[in-house]
Amino acid sequence: MTLHMTGDTTGQPEIYTFYQQALTALHEAQIPFLIGGAYAFRHYTGITCKTKDLDLFVSPDECHHALAVLQATGYHTELISPHWLGKASCREVYLDVIFSSGNGITVVDELWFAHAVAGELFSLSVGFCPPEEMLWTKAYIMERERFDGADVAHLLRACGACFDWPRVLRRFGPHWRVLLSHLILFGFIYPTECDCVPRWVMQELIDRLQREAHAPLGAERVCLGTLLSRAQYLVDIDVWEYHDARRPPTGQLTAEDVAQWTAAMQRERNSS
């Protein structure tokens, strides 16, 4: 039986104890970490979501150290995906150690920690992932079985008016169309909350769209859809021979990273 949490561990002492001990061990080992996932989402939006794990974000250089500390604390640990994800568990309670994203884009760097938001969780003082970086990560999740667009809209509604928008634009960089698509949907979802997104941001992105419409087409056939879904654009890569945007020079993943992440997806589907 898998325990499903709601972001509130009241009445679930085994979960509370596991997470409190794990966070304490990492703190005592002086490993910087941030709280993300459902717990951070609740912190910013007030929305409680079902979850089966706690998401911890660390820098890439700290992942192996964090897993070693958690293993020494008595938990089973595993590097699930070498390019972005480790996991610790105790019985049916899980903790994800995240240092990037499945598409290799949203690497945890020093800015995550510089802009972290202080809070409390499991009676401990913690830092929560900045809402800007949460939006950046969630904006790329457009799988058939999971689409984080509603989370993006709720983060914009709750925090958009206070966002560091120049940093958000820098985060998306050449993928600004992904951001624009979510902002357009936000205006559709919340027609009376458009002031959560500054007008200059929308105008900047629309101006880019207009300029790009008159630019010459690129010479290389590339599919950026794999940055949004690891499954739904495989036909473009495997059959129609588009370049996979996750691979250099457009991306950071190796052929082994892509193969491992695709195989993990297939195992998840077979077990569901």
mmCIF file of all heavy atoms in Angstrom, residues 218-256:
data_model
loop_
_atom_site.group_PDB
_atom_site.id
_atom_site.type_symbol
_atom_site.label_atom_id
_atom_site.label_comp_id
_atom_site.label_asym_id
_atom_site.label_seq_id
_atom_site.Cartn_x
_atom_site.Cartn_y
_atom_site.Cartn_z
ATOM 1 N N GLY A 218 15.225 28.713 -39.572
ATOM 2 C CA GLY A 218 16.490 28.046 -39.332
ATOM 3 C C GLY A 218 16.715 26.931 -40.337
ATOM 4 O O GLY A 218 15.777 26.400 -40.942
ATOM 5 N N ALA A 219 17.980 26.567 -40.485
ATOM 6 C CA ALA A 219 18.320 25.538 -41.472
ATOM 7 C C ALA A 219 18.136 24.134 -40.924
ATOM 8 O O ALA A 219 17.827 23.204 -41.672
ATOM 9 C CB ALA A 219 19.770 25.727 -41.929
ATOM 10 N N GLU A 220 18.310 23.954 -39.620
ATOM 11 C CA GLU A 220 18.236 22.614 -39.039
ATOM 12 C C GLU A 220 16.819 22.284 -38.598
ATOM 13 O O GLU A 220 16.132 23.115 -37.995
ATOM 14 C CB GLU A 220 19.177 22.506 -37.833
ATOM 15 C CG GLU A 220 19.217 21.101 -37.237
ATOM 16 C CD GLU A 220 20.188 20.989 -36.068
ATOM 17 O OE1 GLU A 220 20.522 22.025 -35.483
ATOM 18 O OE2 GLU A 220 20.594 19.864 -35.747
ATOM 19 N N ARG A 221 16.381 21.071 -38.901
ATOM 20 C CA ARG A 221 15.058 20.592 -38.472
ATOM 21 C C ARG A 221 15.179 20.101 -37.028
ATOM 22 O O ARG A 221 15.732 19.041 -36.758
ATOM 23 C CB ARG A 221 14.569 19.472 -39.384
ATOM 24 C CG ARG A 221 14.391 19.920 -40.825
ATOM 25 C CD ARG A 221 14.062 18.757 -41.741
ATOM 26 N NE ARG A 221 12.711 18.244 -41.538
ATOM 27 C CZ ARG A 221 12.417 17.044 -41.058
ATOM 28 N NH1 ARG A 221 13.376 16.226 -40.684
ATOM 29 N NH2 ARG A 221 11.166 16.646 -40.940
ATOM 30 N N VAL A 222 14.664 20.888 -36.113
ATOM 31 C CA VAL A 222 14.764 20.559 -34.696
ATOM 32 C C VAL A 222 13.365 20.513 -34.086
ATOM 33 O O VAL A 222 12.490 21.296 -34.468
ATOM 34 C CB VAL A 222 15.639 21.590 -33.950
ATOM 35 C CG1 VAL A 222 15.077 22.990 -34.075
ATOM 36 C CG2 VAL A 222 15.790 21.213 -32.480
ATOM 37 N N CYS A 223 13.146 19.583 -33.178
ATOM 38 C CA CYS A 223 11.872 19.480 -32.450
ATOM 39 C C CYS A 223 12.129 19.815 -30.987
ATOM 40 O O CYS A 223 12.826 19.072 -30.286
ATOM 41 C CB CYS A 223 11.288 18.086 -32.589
ATOM 42 S SG CYS A 223 9.748 17.860 -31.634
ATOM 43 N N LEU A 224 11.559 20.917 -30.526
ATOM 44 C CA LEU A 224 11.676 21.306 -29.127
ATOM 45 C C LEU A 224 10.571 20.697 -28.261
ATOM 46 O O LEU A 224 10.530 20.909 -27.056
ATOM 47 C CB LEU A 224 11.668 22.831 -28.980
ATOM 48 C CG LEU A 224 12.997 23.525 -29.294
ATOM 49 C CD1 LEU A 224 13.202 23.672 -30.789
ATOM 50 C CD2 LEU A 224 13.089 24.884 -28.623
ATOM 51 N N GLY A 225 9.688 19.945 -28.898
ATOM 52 C CA GLY A 225 8.608 19.309 -28.143
ATOM 53 C C GLY A 225 9.099 18.366 -27.067
ATOM 54 O O GLY A 225 8.431 18.167 -26.051
ATOM 55 N N THR A 226 10.287 17.770 -27.268
ATOM 56 C CA THR A 226 10.817 16.850 -26.262
ATOM 57 C C THR A 226 11.186 17.565 -24.970
ATOM 58 O O THR A 226 11.369 16.914 -23.935
ATOM 59 C CB THR A 226 12.052 16.122 -26.805
ATOM 60 O OG1 THR A 226 12.988 17.084 -27.301
ATOM 61 C CG2 THR A 226 11.666 15.161 -27.918
ATOM 62 N N LEU A 227 11.295 18.886 -24.999
ATOM 63 C CA LEU A 227 11.507 19.643 -23.770
ATOM 64 C C LEU A 227 10.232 19.737 -22.946
ATOM 65 O O LEU A 227 10.279 20.039 -21.753
ATOM 66 C CB LEU A 227 12.010 21.054 -24.087
ATOM 67 C CG LEU A 227 13.329 21.153 -24.848
ATOM 68 C CD1 LEU A 227 13.661 22.614 -25.120
ATOM 69 C CD2 LEU A 227 14.459 20.469 -24.091
ATOM 70 N N LEU A 228 9.092 19.477 -23.580
ATOM 71 C CA LEU A 228 7.794 19.559 -22.919
ATOM 72 C C LEU A 228 7.235 18.192 -22.547
ATOM 73 O O LEU A 228 6.495 18.063 -21.573
ATOM 74 C CB LEU A 228 6.793 20.279 -23.825
ATOM 75 C CG LEU A 228 7.211 21.650 -24.353
ATOM 76 C CD1 LEU A 228 6.152 22.188 -25.309
ATOM 77 C CD2 LEU A 228 7.441 22.626 -23.210
ATOM 78 N N SER A 229 7.569 17.185 -23.334
ATOM 79 C CA SER A 229 7.060 15.836 -23.095
ATOM 80 C C SER A 229 8.100 14.818 -23.555
ATOM 81 O O SER A 229 8.557 14.882 -24.696
ATOM 82 C CB SER A 229 5.744 15.605 -23.842
ATOM 83 O OG SER A 229 5.378 14.242 -23.797
ATOM 84 N N ARG A 230 8.456 13.916 -22.682
ATOM 85 C CA ARG A 230 9.475 12.920 -23.039
ATOM 86 C C ARG A 230 8.902 11.800 -23.892
ATOM 87 O O ARG A 230 9.652 10.975 -24.408
ATOM 88 C CB ARG A 230 10.095 12.325 -21.776
ATOM 89 C CG ARG A 230 9.094 11.664 -20.835
ATOM 90 C CD ARG A 230 9.790 11.074 -19.628
ATOM 91 N NE ARG A 230 8.836 10.711 -18.591
ATOM 92 C CZ ARG A 230 9.121 9.959 -17.539
ATOM 93 N NH1 ARG A 230 10.348 9.469 -17.401
ATOM 94 N NH2 ARG A 230 8.210 9.684 -16.626
ATOM 95 N N ALA A 231 7.570 11.748 -24.044
ATOM 96 C CA ALA A 231 6.936 10.641 -24.762
ATOM 97 C C ALA A 231 6.283 11.062 -26.074
ATOM 98 O O ALA A 231 6.409 10.381 -27.092
ATOM 99 C CB ALA A 231 5.900 9.963 -23.874
ATOM 100 N N GLN A 232 5.608 12.191 -26.066
ATOM 101 C CA GLN A 232 4.686 12.483 -27.158
ATOM 102 C C GLN A 232 5.370 12.950 -28.446
ATOM 103 O O GLN A 232 4.714 13.019 -29.493
ATOM 104 C CB GLN A 232 3.672 13.532 -26.695
ATOM 105 C CG GLN A 232 2.796 13.023 -25.558
ATOM 106 C CD GLN A 232 1.786 14.053 -25.093
ATOM 107 O OE1 GLN A 232 0.655 14.097 -25.562
ATOM 108 N NE2 GLN A 232 2.213 14.919 -24.180
ATOM 109 N N TYR A 233 6.663 13.263 -28.379
ATOM 110 C CA TYR A 233 7.360 13.719 -29.578
ATOM 111 C C TYR A 233 8.454 12.756 -30.009
ATOM 112 O O TYR A 233 9.296 13.111 -30.850
ATOM 113 C CB TYR A 233 7.936 15.121 -29.347
ATOM 114 C CG TYR A 233 6.862 16.157 -29.077
ATOM 115 C CD1 TYR A 233 6.504 16.472 -27.779
ATOM 116 C CD2 TYR A 233 6.184 16.776 -30.129
ATOM 117 C CE1 TYR A 233 5.502 17.407 -27.517
ATOM 118 C CE2 TYR A 233 5.190 17.699 -29.881
ATOM 119 C CZ TYR A 233 4.844 18.008 -28.572
ATOM 120 O OH TYR A 233 3.857 18.912 -28.323
ATOM 121 N N LEU A 234 8.441 11.539 -29.480
ATOM 122 C CA LEU A 234 9.455 10.570 -29.888
ATOM 123 C C LEU A 234 9.332 10.212 -31.363
ATOM 124 O O LEU A 234 10.335 9.925 -32.026
ATOM 125 C CB LEU A 234 9.338 9.307 -29.022
ATOM 126 C CG LEU A 234 9.764 9.463 -27.562
ATOM 127 C CD1 LEU A 234 9.588 8.144 -26.818
ATOM 128 C CD2 LEU A 234 11.206 9.952 -27.462
ATOM 129 N N VAL A 235 8.120 10.224 -31.891
ATOM 130 C CA VAL A 235 7.940 9.928 -33.313
ATOM 131 C C VAL A 235 8.686 10.958 -34.173
ATOM 132 O O VAL A 235 9.221 10.619 -35.232
ATOM 133 C CB VAL A 235 6.443 9.873 -33.684
ATOM 134 C CG1 VAL A 235 5.764 11.226 -33.492
ATOM 135 C CG2 VAL A 235 6.254 9.384 -35.106
ATOM 136 N N ASP A 236 8.720 12.199 -33.706
ATOM 137 C CA ASP A 236 9.418 13.240 -34.455
ATOM 138 C C ASP A 236 10.914 12.946 -34.543
ATOM 139 O O ASP A 236 11.547 13.233 -35.567
ATOM 140 C CB ASP A 236 9.211 14.597 -33.780
ATOM 141 C CG ASP A 236 7.749 14.988 -33.723
ATOM 142 O OD1 ASP A 236 7.030 14.484 -32.832
ATOM 143 O OD2 ASP A 236 7.319 15.788 -34.557
ATOM 144 N N ILE A 237 11.449 12.375 -33.463
ATOM 145 C CA ILE A 237 12.879 12.095 -33.402
ATOM 146 C C ILE A 237 13.204 10.771 -34.091
ATOM 147 O O ILE A 237 14.114 10.683 -34.923
ATOM 148 C CB ILE A 237 13.361 12.055 -31.937
ATOM 149 C CG1 ILE A 237 12.887 13.286 -31.163
ATOM 150 C CG2 ILE A 237 14.865 11.887 -31.875
ATOM 151 C CD1 ILE A 237 13.253 14.604 -31.781
ATOM 152 N N ASP A 238 12.438 9.739 -33.749
ATOM 153 C CA ASP A 238 12.772 8.384 -34.190
ATOM 154 C C ASP A 238 12.347 8.091 -35.628
ATOM 155 O O ASP A 238 13.004 7.321 -36.323
ATOM 156 C CB ASP A 238 12.120 7.357 -33.256
ATOM 157 C CG ASP A 238 12.629 7.470 -31.827
ATOM 158 O OD1 ASP A 238 13.738 7.996 -31.646
ATOM 159 O OD2 ASP A 238 11.916 7.041 -30.902
ATOM 160 N N VAL A 239 11.256 8.689 -36.072
ATOM 161 C CA VAL A 239 10.716 8.372 -37.395
ATOM 162 C C VAL A 239 10.972 9.508 -38.388
ATOM 163 O O VAL A 239 11.443 9.274 -39.512
ATOM 164 C CB VAL A 239 9.205 8.071 -37.306
ATOM 165 C CG1 VAL A 239 8.646 7.767 -38.701
ATOM 166 C CG2 VAL A 239 8.955 6.897 -36.361
ATOM 167 N N TRP A 240 10.676 10.723 -37.972
ATOM 168 C CA TRP A 240 10.777 11.852 -38.896
ATOM 169 C C TRP A 240 12.141 12.531 -38.851
ATOM 170 O O TRP A 240 12.379 13.488 -39.584
ATOM 171 C CB TRP A 240 9.665 12.859 -38.604
ATOM 172 C CG TRP A 240 8.297 12.258 -38.774
ATOM 173 C CD1 TRP A 240 7.948 11.215 -39.589
ATOM 174 C CD2 TRP A 240 7.106 12.658 -38.102
ATOM 175 N NE1 TRP A 240 6.611 10.945 -39.474
ATOM 176 C CE2 TRP A 240 6.054 11.823 -38.559
ATOM 177 C CE3 TRP A 240 6.788 13.635 -37.162
ATOM 178 C CZ2 TRP A 240 4.746 11.932 -38.112
ATOM 179 C CZ3 TRP A 240 5.491 13.748 -36.706
ATOM 180 C CH2 TRP A 240 4.486 12.904 -37.190
ATOM 181 N N GLU A 241 13.009 12.076 -37.974
ATOM 182 C CA GLU A 241 14.424 12.465 -37.925
ATOM 183 C C GLU A 241 14.658 13.955 -37.667
ATOM 184 O O GLU A 241 15.571 14.557 -38.211
ATOM 185 C CB GLU A 241 15.145 12.017 -39.207
ATOM 186 C CG GLU A 241 15.119 10.506 -39.400
ATOM 187 C CD GLU A 241 15.891 10.053 -40.628
ATOM 188 O OE1 GLU A 241 16.196 10.910 -41.482
ATOM 189 O OE2 GLU A 241 16.187 8.847 -40.725
ATOM 190 N N TYR A 242 13.829 14.532 -36.791
ATOM 191 C CA TYR A 242 14.135 15.862 -36.284
ATOM 192 C C TYR A 242 15.246 15.741 -35.240
ATOM 193 O O TYR A 242 15.389 14.708 -34.582
ATOM 194 C CB TYR A 242 12.911 16.486 -35.611
ATOM 195 C CG TYR A 242 11.890 17.051 -36.560
ATOM 196 C CD1 TYR A 242 10.937 16.231 -37.156
ATOM 197 C CD2 TYR A 242 11.858 18.419 -36.843
ATOM 198 C CE1 TYR A 242 9.984 16.753 -38.019
ATOM 199 C CE2 TYR A 242 10.909 18.947 -37.705
ATOM 200 C CZ TYR A 242 9.975 18.108 -38.285
ATOM 201 O OH TYR A 242 9.036 18.624 -39.135
ATOM 202 N N HIS A 243 16.010 16.802 -35.074
ATOM 203 C CA HIS A 243 16.997 16.829 -34.000
ATOM 204 C C HIS A 243 16.283 16.963 -32.664
ATOM 205 O O HIS A 243 15.362 17.772 -32.514
ATOM 206 C CB HIS A 243 17.970 18.001 -34.189
ATOM 207 C CG HIS A 243 18.902 18.188 -33.029
ATOM 208 N ND1 HIS A 243 19.923 17.308 -32.747
ATOM 209 C CD2 HIS A 243 18.943 19.153 -32.064
ATOM 210 C CE1 HIS A 243 20.561 17.713 -31.662
ATOM 211 N NE2 HIS A 243 19.993 18.829 -31.234
ATOM 212 N N ASP A 244 16.694 16.176 -31.691
ATOM 213 C CA ASP A 244 16.122 16.211 -30.347
ATOM 214 C C ASP A 244 16.709 17.408 -29.603
ATOM 215 O O ASP A 244 17.917 17.461 -29.346
ATOM 216 C CB ASP A 244 16.452 14.900 -29.617
ATOM 217 C CG ASP A 244 15.761 14.774 -28.273
ATOM 218 O OD1 ASP A 244 15.312 15.800 -27.725
ATOM 219 O OD2 ASP A 244 15.690 13.639 -27.760
ATOM 220 N N ALA A 245 15.866 18.371 -29.222
ATOM 221 C CA ALA A 245 16.343 19.606 -28.599
ATOM 222 C C ALA A 245 16.981 19.377 -27.240
ATOM 223 O O ALA A 245 17.650 20.273 -26.708
ATOM 224 C CB ALA A 245 15.188 20.598 -28.462
ATOM 225 N N ARG A 246 16.806 18.187 -26.673
ATOM 226 C CA ARG A 246 17.466 17.889 -25.399
ATOM 227 C C ARG A 246 18.953 17.627 -25.568
ATOM 228 O O ARG A 246 19.714 17.683 -24.608
ATOM 229 C CB ARG A 246 16.796 16.673 -24.741
ATOM 230 C CG ARG A 246 15.347 16.893 -24.352
ATOM 231 C CD ARG A 246 14.699 15.606 -23.883
ATOM 232 N NE ARG A 246 14.610 14.618 -24.966
ATOM 233 C CZ ARG A 246 14.056 13.409 -24.834
ATOM 234 N NH1 ARG A 246 13.548 13.050 -23.656
ATOM 235 N NH2 ARG A 246 13.999 12.573 -25.860
ATOM 236 N N ARG A 247 19.366 17.308 -26.802
ATOM 237 C CA ARG A 247 20.759 16.975 -27.099
ATOM 238 C C ARG A 247 21.523 18.215 -27.578
ATOM 239 O O ARG A 247 20.933 19.148 -28.109
ATOM 240 C CB ARG A 247 20.815 15.895 -28.190
ATOM 241 C CG ARG A 247 20.136 14.573 -27.851
ATOM 242 C CD ARG A 247 20.919 13.793 -26.800
ATOM 243 N NE ARG A 247 22.351 13.783 -27.093
ATOM 244 C CZ ARG A 247 22.921 13.016 -28.055
ATOM 245 N NH1 ARG A 247 22.158 12.193 -28.774
ATOM 246 N NH2 ARG A 247 24.216 13.069 -28.257
ATOM 247 N N PRO A 248 22.849 18.234 -27.381
ATOM 248 C CA PRO A 248 23.645 19.350 -27.896
ATOM 249 C C PRO A 248 23.457 19.500 -29.404
ATOM 250 O O PRO A 248 23.181 18.517 -30.084
ATOM 251 C CB PRO A 248 25.077 18.941 -27.550
ATOM 252 C CG PRO A 248 24.932 18.003 -26.389
ATOM 253 C CD PRO A 248 23.647 17.253 -26.658
ATOM 254 N N PRO A 249 23.546 20.705 -29.940
ATOM 255 C CA PRO A 249 23.960 21.930 -29.243
ATOM 256 C C PRO A 249 22.815 22.692 -28.581
ATOM 257 O O PRO A 249 23.057 23.686 -27.908
ATOM 258 C CB PRO A 249 24.562 22.764 -30.376
ATOM 259 C CG PRO A 249 23.718 22.397 -31.572
ATOM 260 C CD PRO A 249 23.436 20.920 -31.407
ATOM 261 N N THR A 250 21.583 22.260 -28.757
ATOM 262 C CA THR A 250 20.447 22.984 -28.183
ATOM 263 C C THR A 250 20.175 22.614 -26.742
ATOM 264 O O THR A 250 19.562 23.379 -25.999
ATOM 265 C CB THR A 250 19.176 22.725 -29.010
ATOM 266 O OG1 THR A 250 19.018 21.297 -29.187
ATOM 267 C CG2 THR A 250 19.270 23.374 -30.377
ATOM 268 N N GLY A 251 20.596 21.428 -26.321
ATOM 269 C CA GLY A 251 20.351 20.963 -24.961
ATOM 270 C C GLY A 251 21.604 20.407 -24.326
ATOM 271 O O GLY A 251 22.686 20.424 -24.917
ATOM 272 N N GLN A 252 21.447 19.871 -23.105
ATOM 273 C CA GLN A 252 22.587 19.423 -22.321
ATOM 274 C C GLN A 252 22.640 17.911 -22.122
ATOM 275 O O GLN A 252 23.624 17.396 -21.581
ATOM 276 C CB GLN A 252 22.552 20.091 -20.932
ATOM 277 C CG GLN A 252 22.559 21.606 -20.969
ATOM 278 C CD GLN A 252 23.815 22.172 -21.574
ATOM 279 O OE1 GLN A 252 24.914 21.658 -21.359
ATOM 280 N NE2 GLN A 252 23.675 23.222 -22.372
ATOM 281 N N LEU A 253 21.605 17.174 -22.530
ATOM 282 C CA LEU A 253 21.553 15.751 -22.217
ATOM 283 C C LEU A 253 22.390 14.928 -23.187
ATOM 284 O O LEU A 253 22.490 15.237 -24.376
ATOM 285 C CB LEU A 253 20.109 15.245 -22.249
ATOM 286 C CG LEU A 253 19.119 15.899 -21.282
ATOM 287 C CD1 LEU A 253 17.832 15.082 -21.214
ATOM 288 C CD2 LEU A 253 19.711 16.079 -19.898
ATOM 289 N N THR A 254 22.967 13.852 -22.678
ATOM 290 C CA THR A 254 23.689 12.897 -23.512
ATOM 291 C C THR A 254 22.700 11.886 -24.084
ATOM 292 O O THR A 254 21.536 11.804 -23.651
ATOM 293 C CB THR A 254 24.741 12.151 -22.693
ATOM 294 O OG1 THR A 254 24.077 11.337 -21.706
ATOM 295 C CG2 THR A 254 25.688 13.119 -21.994
ATOM 296 N N ALA A 255 23.160 11.103 -25.036
ATOM 297 C CA ALA A 255 22.319 10.041 -25.584
ATOM 298 C C ALA A 255 21.921 9.067 -24.487
ATOM 299 O O ALA A 255 20.787 8.553 -24.467
ATOM 300 C CB ALA A 255 23.060 9.317 -26.703
ATOM 301 N N GLU A 256 22.838 8.797 -23.545
ATOM 302 C CA GLU A 256 22.542 7.890 -22.434
ATOM 303 C C GLU A 256 21.476 8.475 -21.515
ATOM 304 O O GLU A 256 20.592 7.747 -21.040
ATOM 305 C CB GLU A 256 23.814 7.600 -21.632
ATOM 306 C CG GLU A 256 24.852 6.773 -22.372
ATOM 307 C CD GLU A 256 25.611 7.575 -23.425
ATOM 308 O OE1 GLU A 256 25.535 8.829 -23.420
ATOM 309 O OE2 GLU A 256 26.263 6.940 -24.280
#
